[in-house]
Amino acid sequence: MGQDVVLSELDKNFLLNSIRDVNDFPKPGIIFKDITTLLNNKDAFELLMNHLEERYKLYNLDFIAGIESRGFIFAAALATRLKIGFVPVRKKGKLPSTTVCEKYELEYGFDEVEIHLDAFNNKENARVLLLDDLIVSGGTAKASASLIKKLNANLVESCFLLNFTVLDGKDKLSKIVPVYSVLEI
């Protein structure tokens, strides 16, 4: 597999400090972690992408699946660096061709994600990395992992910029796929 590349505490702090906190968004009591300030900081974004490229360059991946919507940014950028395919995991009804979907539970109700049936070009055991900006409860990530496995792909790892340790999403997901998070908050 690949090597375990670790960021220094200085680099982790630089990345954390490049992410803006927005109080009471999307509702009162929530502190939203706004990654747009990391994205528009060329040094922070470059540091993150260099780190991810270094970590995954020896994994022999075929595809990176990014979860809608912020996961698209990191997954597409990393796929380009690794010269492999990017696959979007979208909310139900957003993909134009034949899909497979997975339902997951929300705080109040359910939602669904889907992926094209031919997302991995019908390659048997395609080696796939699942990537998103953050994991909290893990519902979307777990549903996305299930979709990838339904297509007989080899889900090698899931990766998140931020793991919110207040909930156990990372622990739940790690029961079905190895999980790497760049930053823990």
Side-chain angles (χ1 to χ4, degrees), residues 32 58 94 111 140:
F32 184 81
L58 299 178
K94 301 288 185 181
D111 207 345
T140 309

Side-chain angles (χ1 to χ4, degrees), residues 2 4 8 31 36 47 51 55 85 87 89 97 102 116 118 122 146 183-184:
D4 194 21
S8 71
I31 300 173
T36 62
L47 171 66
H51 171 66
R55 177 175 177 83
V87 173
V89 178
S97 191
E102 185 79 19
H116 277 136
D118 61 355
N122 302 312
S146 179
L183 304 169
E184 304 277 326

Side-chain angles (χ1 to χ4, degrees), residues 24-135:
D24 300 320
F25 184 83
K27 60 185 185 179
I30 303 277
I31 300 173
F32 184 81
K33 296 293 185 183
D34 180 10
I35 63 158
T36 62
T37 51
L38 181 148
L39 295 171
N40 71 19
N41 178 329
K42 66 180 177 57
D43 296 326
F45 193 44
E46 182 71 11
L47 171 66
L48 175 64
M49 295 314 301
N50 284 342
H51 171 66
L52 294 176
E53 180 180 13
E54 190 64 26
R55 177 175 177 83
Y56 291 109
K57 70 182 180 183
L58 299 178
Y59 273 58
N60 296 315
L61 297 168
D62 297 303
F63 299 92
I64 298 177
I67 300 174
E68 185 172 342
S69 66
R70 293 177 305 267
F72 290 1
I73 299 164
F74 302 109
L78 184 58
T80 298
R81 284 174 171 237
L82 296 177
K83 297 176 178 36
I84 59 175
F86 163 72
V87 173
V89 178
R90 305 250 8 223
K91 292 183 177 161
K92 187 166 177 56
K94 301 288 185 181
L95 292 171
S97 191
T98 307
T99 63
V100 59
C101 53
E102 185 79 19
K103 189 178 280 195
Y104 62 97
E105 195 168 354
L106 296 168
E107 191 175 332
Y108 300 104
F110 293 89
D111 207 345
E112 291 181 74
V113 288
E114 62 184 3
I115 194 170
H116 277 136
L117 198 56
D118 61 355
F120 306 118
N121 298 330
N122 302 312
K123 180 177 180 167
E124 194 169 319
N125 291 317
R127 293 179 56 80
V128 179
L129 171 68
L130 179 63
L131 185 56
D132 203 2
D133 65 329
L134 57 88
I135 185 165

Side-chain angles (χ1 to χ4, degrees), residues 65 100 102 115 120 125-126 128 130 141-158 173-178:
V100 59
E102 185 79 19
I115 194 170
F120 306 118
N125 291 317
V128 179
L130 179 63
K142 197 170 176 192
S144 300
S146 179
L147 283 176
I148 292 165
K149 290 182 175 200
K150 278 183 181 179
L151 295 179
N152 297 316
N154 178 7
L155 181 55
V156 176
E157 190 165 82
S158 56
L173 186 60
S174 67
K175 292 177 182 167
I176 60 171
V177 61

Side-chain angles (χ1 to χ4, degrees), residues 14-28:
F14 177 64
L15 290 176
L16 274 173
N17 290 330
S18 73
I19 298 168
R20 172 175 43 201
D21 287 347
V22 179
N23 293 321
D24 300 320
F25 184 83
K27 60 185 185 179

